Amino acid sequence: QVQLVESGGGLVQAGGSLRLSCAVSGSIGRSNTMGWYRQAPGKQRELVADITSGGSTTYADSAKGRFAISRDNAKKSVYLQMNTLSPEDTAVYYCHLVRVLTGTIDNYWGQGIQVTVST
Protein backbone atom coordinates (compact mmCIF):
# COMPACT_ATOMS: atom_id res chain seq x y z
CA GLN A 1 0.00 0.00 0.00
CA VAL A 2 1.35 3.40 -0.98
CA GLN A 3 0.99 6.32 1.42
CA LEU A 4 2.20 9.90 1.12
CA VAL A 5 2.78 11.99 4.23
CA GLU A 6 3.42 15.72 3.99
CA SER A 7 5.12 17.91 6.56
CA GLY A 8 6.53 21.40 6.87
CA GLY A 9 3.48 23.58 6.36
CA GLY A 10 2.34 26.34 8.64
CA LEU A 11 1.98 30.07 9.00
CA VAL A 12 4.59 32.44 7.61
CA GLN A 13 4.74 36.15 6.92
CA ALA A 14 4.83 37.51 3.41
CA GLY A 15 8.34 37.38 2.03
CA GLY A 16 9.24 34.39 4.15
CA SER A 17 10.11 30.83 3.27
CA LEU A 18 8.85 27.34 3.95
CA ARG A 19 10.08 23.90 2.97
CA LEU A 20 7.53 21.17 2.40
CA SER A 21 8.48 17.53 2.60
CA CYS A 22 6.66 14.43 1.44
CA ALA A 23 7.69 10.93 2.36
CA VAL A 24 6.31 7.96 0.47
CA SER A 25 5.87 4.51 1.93
CA GLY A 26 5.44 1.54 -0.34
CA SER A 27 6.75 0.96 -3.83
CA ILE A 28 7.19 3.96 -6.12
CA GLY A 29 8.49 1.94 -9.05
CA ARG A 30 11.39 2.84 -11.31
CA SER A 31 9.43 5.29 -13.42
CA ASN A 32 7.45 7.89 -11.56
CA THR A 33 6.70 11.55 -11.17
CA MET A 34 6.42 13.21 -7.79
CA GLY A 35 5.00 16.62 -7.34
CA TRP A 36 3.10 19.25 -5.44
CA TYR A 37 -0.34 20.63 -6.12
CA ARG A 38 -2.25 23.25 -4.20
CA GLN A 39 -5.85 24.24 -3.72
CA ALA A 40 -6.93 27.61 -2.42
CA PRO A 41 -10.46 28.19 -1.08
CA GLY A 42 -12.95 28.40 -3.92
CA LYS A 43 -10.37 27.46 -6.53
CA GLN A 44 -9.45 24.32 -8.41
CA ARG A 45 -6.47 22.24 -7.47
CA GLU A 46 -3.48 23.27 -9.55
CA LEU A 47 0.00 21.98 -10.22
CA VAL A 48 2.77 23.83 -8.43
CA ALA A 49 5.75 21.75 -9.52
CA ASP A 50 6.71 18.20 -10.29
CA ILE A 51 9.84 16.17 -10.89
CA THR A 52 10.29 12.91 -12.75
CA SER A 53 12.38 9.97 -11.67
CA GLY A 54 14.90 11.18 -14.26
CA GLY A 55 15.10 14.59 -12.66
CA SER A 56 13.11 16.66 -15.16
CA THR A 57 11.10 19.41 -13.53
CA THR A 58 7.97 21.37 -14.37
CA TYR A 59 6.86 24.54 -12.63
CA ALA A 60 3.72 26.60 -12.69
CA ASP A 61 4.37 30.13 -13.86
CA SER A 62 3.52 31.38 -10.37
CA ALA A 63 6.26 29.19 -8.90
CA LYS A 64 9.07 29.90 -11.32
CA GLY A 65 11.95 31.74 -9.73
CA ARG A 66 10.55 31.39 -6.21
CA PHE A 67 10.02 27.68 -5.62
CA ALA A 68 12.37 24.75 -6.09
CA ILE A 69 11.38 21.10 -6.18
CA SER A 70 13.81 18.31 -5.40
CA ARG A 71 13.72 14.65 -4.55
CA ASP A 72 15.72 12.04 -2.72
CA ASN A 73 15.13 8.69 -4.38
CA ALA A 74 16.84 6.74 -1.61
CA LYS A 75 14.42 8.24 0.92
CA LYS A 76 11.46 8.14 -1.48
CA SER A 77 10.86 11.77 -0.66
CA VAL A 78 10.09 14.97 -2.50
CA TYR A 79 10.62 18.49 -1.28
CA LEU A 80 9.35 21.94 -2.17
CA GLN A 81 11.41 24.92 -1.11
CA MET A 82 9.19 27.98 -1.23
CA ASN A 83 10.76 31.43 -1.05
CA THR A 84 9.40 34.96 -1.25
CA LEU A 85 5.96 33.74 -0.26
CA SER A 86 2.94 35.95 -0.76
CA PRO A 87 -0.63 35.75 0.55
CA GLU A 88 -1.62 34.39 -2.89
CA ASP A 89 0.35 31.24 -2.04
CA THR A 90 -2.04 30.46 0.81
CA ALA A 91 -3.56 27.07 0.09
CA VAL A 92 -3.65 23.44 1.04
CA TYR A 93 -0.65 21.78 -0.58
CA TYR A 94 -0.90 18.17 -1.72
CA CYS A 95 1.88 15.76 -2.48
CA HIS A 96 1.25 13.67 -5.59
CA LEU A 97 2.79 10.54 -7.04
CA VAL A 98 2.28 9.06 -10.48
CA ARG A 99 3.68 5.57 -10.52
CA VAL A 100 4.22 3.75 -13.79
CA LEU A 101 4.44 0.00 -13.64
CA THR A 102 4.19 -2.46 -16.50
CA GLY A 103 0.66 -2.10 -17.78
CA THR A 104 -0.56 0.29 -15.10
CA ILE A 105 -0.39 3.96 -14.14
CA ASP A 106 -1.42 4.78 -10.59
CA ASN A 107 -2.05 8.13 -8.92
CA TYR A 108 -1.61 8.70 -5.22
CA TRP A 109 -2.27 11.78 -3.07
CA GLY A 110 -1.21 12.91 0.34
CA GLN A 111 -3.75 14.19 2.82
CA GLY A 112 -2.74 17.81 2.26
CA ILE A 113 -1.02 20.36 4.43
CA GLN A 114 -2.00 23.95 5.08
CA VAL A 115 0.26 26.82 4.10
CA THR A 116 -0.89 30.25 5.22
CA VAL A 117 0.96 33.42 4.28
CA SER A 118 0.03 36.51 6.24
CA THR A 119 0.45 40.11 5.19
Side-chain angles (χ1 to χ4, degrees):
Q1 185 177 359
V2 175
Q3 290 186 321
L4 284 64
V5 179
E6 301 108 333
S7 61
L11 174 65
V12 64
Q13 288 189 330
S17 299
L18 280 176
R19 185 176 188 247
L20 303 183
S21 300
C22 174
V24 182
S25 61
S27 173
I28 64 172
R30 288 188 175 183
S31 179
N32 59 75
T33 298
M34 303 178 73
W36 293 93
Y37 285 71
R38 68 185 183 186
Q39 188 167 18
K43 295 187 177 180
Q44 290 188 331
R45 191 173 298 188
E46 62 178 4
L47 173 70
V48 178
D50 65 24
I51 182 168
T52 69
S53 47
S56 297
T57 57
T58 301
Y59 289 93
D61 287 343
S62 59
K64 290 177 181 177
R66 299 188 302 129
F67 296 0
I69 191 169
S70 60
R71 60 187 288 164
D72 185 329
N73 292 327
K75 295 182 178 180
K76 294 189 291 186
S77 295
V78 63
Y79 310 96
L80 185 68
Q81 177 66 43
M82 303 187 292
N83 300 321
T84 320
L85 285 161
S86 73
E88 289 70 35
D89 296 313
T90 295
V92 177
Y93 284 70
Y94 296 90
C95 183
H96 180 240
L97 167 68
V98 179
R99 184 183 70 178
V100 180
L101 300 177
T102 301
T104 64
I105 299 175
D106 300 305
N107 283 268
Y108 299 94
W109 293 92
Q111 78 283 0
I113 192 165
Q114 180 70 44
V115 171
T116 302
V117 185
S118 64
T119 56

PDB file of all heavy atoms in Angstrom, residues 7-30:
ATOM      1  N   SER A   7       4.753  17.181   5.349  1.00  0.00           N
ATOM      2  CA  SER A   7       5.124  17.908   6.562  1.00  0.00           C
ATOM      3  C   SER A   7       5.753  19.233   6.150  1.00  0.00           C
ATOM      4  O   SER A   7       6.144  19.410   4.991  1.00  0.00           O
ATOM      5  CB  SER A   7       6.094  17.100   7.422  1.00  0.00           C
ATOM      6  OG  SER A   7       7.287  16.829   6.715  1.00  0.00           O
ATOM      7  N   GLY A   8       5.826  20.148   7.109  1.00  0.00           N
ATOM      8  CA  GLY A   8       6.530  21.404   6.874  1.00  0.00           C
ATOM      9  C   GLY A   8       5.656  22.609   6.624  1.00  0.00           C
ATOM     10  O   GLY A   8       6.170  23.723   6.461  1.00  0.00           O
ATOM     11  N   GLY A   9       4.345  22.433   6.583  1.00  0.00           N
ATOM     12  CA  GLY A   9       3.483  23.576   6.363  1.00  0.00           C
ATOM     13  C   GLY A   9       3.372  24.444   7.600  1.00  0.00           C
ATOM     14  O   GLY A   9       4.014  24.183   8.626  1.00  0.00           O
ATOM     15  N   GLY A  10       2.543  25.478   7.489  1.00  0.00           N
ATOM     16  CA  GLY A  10       2.335  26.341   8.642  1.00  0.00           C
ATOM     17  C   GLY A  10       2.046  27.761   8.233  1.00  0.00           C
ATOM     18  O   GLY A  10       1.649  28.034   7.101  1.00  0.00           O
ATOM     19  N   LEU A  11       2.252  28.651   9.179  1.00  0.00           N
ATOM     20  CA  LEU A  11       1.977  30.071   9.002  1.00  0.00           C
ATOM     21  C   LEU A  11       3.302  30.814   8.853  1.00  0.00           C
ATOM     22  O   LEU A  11       4.228  30.614   9.647  1.00  0.00           O
ATOM     23  CB  LEU A  11       1.205  30.607  10.203  1.00  0.00           C
ATOM     24  CG  LEU A  11       0.949  32.123  10.254  1.00  0.00           C
ATOM     25  CD1 LEU A  11       0.049  32.542   9.110  1.00  0.00           C
ATOM     26  CD2 LEU A  11       0.337  32.488  11.604  1.00  0.00           C
ATOM     27  N   VAL A  12       3.365  31.679   7.850  1.00  0.00           N
ATOM     28  CA  VAL A  12       4.588  32.444   7.611  1.00  0.00           C
ATOM     29  C   VAL A  12       4.179  33.832   7.118  1.00  0.00           C
ATOM     30  O   VAL A  12       3.115  34.000   6.510  1.00  0.00           O
ATOM     31  CB  VAL A  12       5.496  31.733   6.578  1.00  0.00           C
ATOM     32  CG1 VAL A  12       4.831  31.651   5.218  1.00  0.00           C
ATOM     33  CG2 VAL A  12       6.855  32.382   6.487  1.00  0.00           C
ATOM     34  N   GLN A  13       5.004  34.803   7.402  1.00  0.00           N
ATOM     35  CA  GLN A  13       4.739  36.154   6.920  1.00  0.00           C
ATOM     36  C   GLN A  13       5.129  36.295   5.461  1.00  0.00           C
ATOM     37  O   GLN A  13       6.011  35.577   4.957  1.00  0.00           O
ATOM     38  CB  GLN A  13       5.511  37.168   7.761  1.00  0.00           C
ATOM     39  CG  GLN A  13       4.957  37.364   9.166  1.00  0.00           C
ATOM     40  CD  GLN A  13       5.613  38.517   9.888  1.00  0.00           C
ATOM     41  OE1 GLN A  13       6.768  38.836   9.645  1.00  0.00           O
ATOM     42  NE2 GLN A  13       4.876  39.138  10.794  1.00  0.00           N
ATOM     43  N   ALA A  14       4.493  37.231   4.799  1.00  0.00           N
ATOM     44  CA  ALA A  14       4.829  37.507   3.407  1.00  0.00           C
ATOM     45  C   ALA A  14       6.313  37.813   3.275  1.00  0.00           C
ATOM     46  O   ALA A  14       6.886  38.514   4.109  1.00  0.00           O
ATOM     47  CB  ALA A  14       3.996  38.676   2.896  1.00  0.00           C
ATOM     48  N   GLY A  15       6.910  37.236   2.232  1.00  0.00           N
ATOM     49  CA  GLY A  15       8.340  37.384   2.027  1.00  0.00           C
ATOM     50  C   GLY A  15       9.161  36.283   2.648  1.00  0.00           C
ATOM     51  O   GLY A  15      10.363  36.168   2.372  1.00  0.00           O
ATOM     52  N   GLY A  16       8.535  35.476   3.463  1.00  0.00           N
ATOM     53  CA  GLY A  16       9.238  34.394   4.152  1.00  0.00           C
ATOM     54  C   GLY A  16       9.350  33.139   3.313  1.00  0.00           C
ATOM     55  O   GLY A  16       8.968  33.110   2.136  1.00  0.00           O
ATOM     56  N   SER A  17       9.861  32.102   3.950  1.00  0.00           N
ATOM     57  CA  SER A  17      10.111  30.831   3.265  1.00  0.00           C
ATOM     58  C   SER A  17       9.560  29.663   4.069  1.00  0.00           C
ATOM     59  O   SER A  17       9.446  29.735   5.295  1.00  0.00           O
ATOM     60  CB  SER A  17      11.622  30.624   3.062  1.00  0.00           C
ATOM     61  OG  SER A  17      12.185  31.639   2.270  1.00  0.00           O
ATOM     62  N   LEU A  18       9.237  28.615   3.354  1.00  0.00           N
ATOM     63  CA  LEU A  18       8.851  27.340   3.954  1.00  0.00           C
ATOM     64  C   LEU A  18       9.401  26.218   3.090  1.00  0.00           C
ATOM     65  O   LEU A  18       9.570  26.389   1.875  1.00  0.00           O
ATOM     66  CB  LEU A  18       7.334  27.191   4.038  1.00  0.00           C
ATOM     67  CG  LEU A  18       6.571  27.879   5.159  1.00  0.00           C
ATOM     68  CD1 LEU A  18       5.067  27.654   4.976  1.00  0.00           C
ATOM     69  CD2 LEU A  18       7.013  27.377   6.525  1.00  0.00           C
ATOM     70  N   ARG A  19       9.646  25.089   3.711  1.00  0.00           N
ATOM     71  CA  ARG A  19      10.076  23.902   2.974  1.00  0.00           C
ATOM     72  C   ARG A  19       9.119  22.774   3.292  1.00  0.00           C
ATOM     73  O   ARG A  19       9.002  22.346   4.438  1.00  0.00           O
ATOM     74  CB  ARG A  19      11.492  23.502   3.343  1.00  0.00           C
ATOM     75  CG  ARG A  19      12.051  22.343   2.514  1.00  0.00           C
ATOM     76  CD  ARG A  19      13.496  22.090   2.883  1.00  0.00           C
ATOM     77  NE  ARG A  19      14.149  21.116   2.011  1.00  0.00           N
ATOM     78  CZ  ARG A  19      14.556  19.917   2.404  1.00  0.00           C
ATOM     79  NH1 ARG A  19      14.373  19.540   3.654  1.00  0.00           N
ATOM     80  NH2 ARG A  19      15.163  19.105   1.557  1.00  0.00           N
ATOM     81  N   LEU A  20       8.434  22.297   2.257  1.00  0.00           N
ATOM     82  CA  LEU A  20       7.532  21.169   2.399  1.00  0.00           C
ATOM     83  C   LEU A  20       8.275  19.877   2.082  1.00  0.00           C
ATOM     84  O   LEU A  20       9.120  19.841   1.188  1.00  0.00           O
ATOM     85  CB  LEU A  20       6.338  21.312   1.465  1.00  0.00           C
ATOM     86  CG  LEU A  20       5.497  22.582   1.595  1.00  0.00           C
ATOM     87  CD1 LEU A  20       4.310  22.513   0.629  1.00  0.00           C
ATOM     88  CD2 LEU A  20       5.021  22.779   3.011  1.00  0.00           C
ATOM     89  N   SER A  21       7.917  18.852   2.831  1.00  0.00           N
ATOM     90  CA  SER A  21       8.484  17.528   2.600  1.00  0.00           C
ATOM     91  C   SER A  21       7.361  16.527   2.432  1.00  0.00           C
ATOM     92  O   SER A  21       6.293  16.668   3.022  1.00  0.00           O
ATOM     93  CB  SER A  21       9.367  17.108   3.773  1.00  0.00           C
ATOM     94  OG  SER A  21      10.435  17.999   3.972  1.00  0.00           O
ATOM     95  N   CYS A  22       7.626  15.511   1.639  1.00  0.00           N
ATOM     96  CA  CYS A  22       6.660  14.426   1.442  1.00  0.00           C
ATOM     97  C   CYS A  22       7.425  13.122   1.408  1.00  0.00           C
ATOM     98  O   CYS A  22       8.313  12.942   0.562  1.00  0.00           O
ATOM     99  CB  CYS A  22       5.886  14.633   0.160  1.00  0.00           C
ATOM    100  SG  CYS A  22       4.784  13.258  -0.275  1.00  0.00           S
ATOM    101  N   ALA A  23       7.070  12.238   2.314  1.00  0.00           N
ATOM    102  CA  ALA A  23       7.694  10.926   2.363  1.00  0.00           C
ATOM    103  C   ALA A  23       6.696   9.872   1.893  1.00  0.00           C
ATOM    104  O   ALA A  23       5.533   9.895   2.297  1.00  0.00           O
ATOM    105  CB  ALA A  23       8.152  10.619   3.785  1.00  0.00           C
ATOM    106  N   VAL A  24       7.168   8.993   1.051  1.00  0.00           N
ATOM    107  CA  VAL A  24       6.312   7.960   0.473  1.00  0.00           C
ATOM    108  C   VAL A  24       6.671   6.609   1.071  1.00  0.00           C
ATOM    109  O   VAL A  24       7.848   6.243   1.143  1.00  0.00           O
ATOM    110  CB  VAL A  24       6.470   7.900  -1.054  1.00  0.00           C
ATOM    111  CG1 VAL A  24       5.532   6.853  -1.642  1.00  0.00           C
ATOM    112  CG2 VAL A  24       6.209   9.262  -1.682  1.00  0.00           C
ATOM    113  N   SER A  25       5.663   5.892   1.502  1.00  0.00           N
ATOM    114  CA  SER A  25       5.867   4.512   1.934  1.00  0.00           C
ATOM    115  C   SER A  25       5.253   3.582   0.900  1.00  0.00           C
ATOM    116  O   SER A  25       4.256   3.918   0.277  1.00  0.00           O
ATOM    117  CB  SER A  25       5.234   4.280   3.306  1.00  0.00           C
ATOM    118  OG  SER A  25       3.843   4.510   3.246  1.00  0.00           O
ATOM    119  N   GLY A  26       5.886   2.444   0.704  1.00  0.00           N
ATOM    120  CA  GLY A  26       5.444   1.537  -0.339  1.00  0.00           C
ATOM    121  C   GLY A  26       6.274   1.732  -1.600  1.00  0.00           C
ATOM    122  O   GLY A  26       7.151   2.578  -1.683  1.00  0.00           O
ATOM    123  N   SER A  27       5.958   0.936  -2.593  1.00  0.00           N
ATOM    124  CA  SER A  27       6.746   0.962  -3.826  1.00  0.00           C
ATOM    125  C   SER A  27       6.401   2.159  -4.705  1.00  0.00           C
ATOM    126  O   SER A  27       5.231   2.428  -4.957  1.00  0.00           O
ATOM    127  CB  SER A  27       6.499  -0.333  -4.613  1.00  0.00           C
ATOM    128  OG  SER A  27       7.126  -0.259  -5.880  1.00  0.00           O
ATOM    129  N   ILE A  28       7.424   2.856  -5.193  1.00  0.00           N
ATOM    130  CA  ILE A  28       7.190   3.963  -6.123  1.00  0.00           C
ATOM    131  C   ILE A  28       7.588   3.586  -7.544  1.00  0.00           C
ATOM    132  O   ILE A  28       7.424   4.366  -8.476  1.00  0.00           O
ATOM    133  CB  ILE A  28       7.921   5.250  -5.699  1.00  0.00           C
ATOM    134  CG1 ILE A  28       9.432   5.043  -5.727  1.00  0.00           C
ATOM    135  CG2 ILE A  28       7.467   5.704  -4.325  1.00  0.00           C
ATOM    136  CD1 ILE A  28      10.206   6.349  -5.516  1.00  0.00           C
ATOM    137  N   GLY A  29       8.108   2.386  -7.719  1.00  0.00           N
ATOM    138  CA  GLY A  29       8.486   1.935  -9.050  1.00  0.00           C
ATOM    139  C   GLY A  29       9.722   2.653  -9.560  1.00  0.00           C
ATOM    140  O   GLY A  29      10.237   3.578  -8.938  1.00  0.00           O
ATOM    141  N   ARG A  30      10.207   2.220 -10.720  1.00  0.00           N
ATOM    142  CA  ARG A  30      11.390   2.840 -11.310  1.00  0.00           C
ATOM    143  C   ARG A  30      11.045   4.108 -12.073  1.00  0.00           C
ATOM    144  O   ARG A  30      11.850   5.033 -12.171  1.00  0.00           O
ATOM    145  CB  ARG A  30      12.071   1.852 -12.259  1.00  0.00           C
ATOM    146  CG  ARG A  30      12.777   0.711 -11.581  1.00  0.00           C
ATOM    147  CD  ARG A  30      13.577  -0.103 -12.592  1.00  0.00           C
ATOM    148  NE  ARG A  30      14.353  -1.148 -11.939  1.00  0.00           N
ATOM    149  CZ  ARG A  30      15.175  -1.955 -12.603  1.00  0.00           C
ATOM    150  NH1 ARG A  30      15.315  -1.828 -13.920  1.00  0.00           N
ATOM    151  NH2 ARG A  30      15.857  -2.873 -11.944  1.00  0.00           N
TER     152      ARG A  30
END
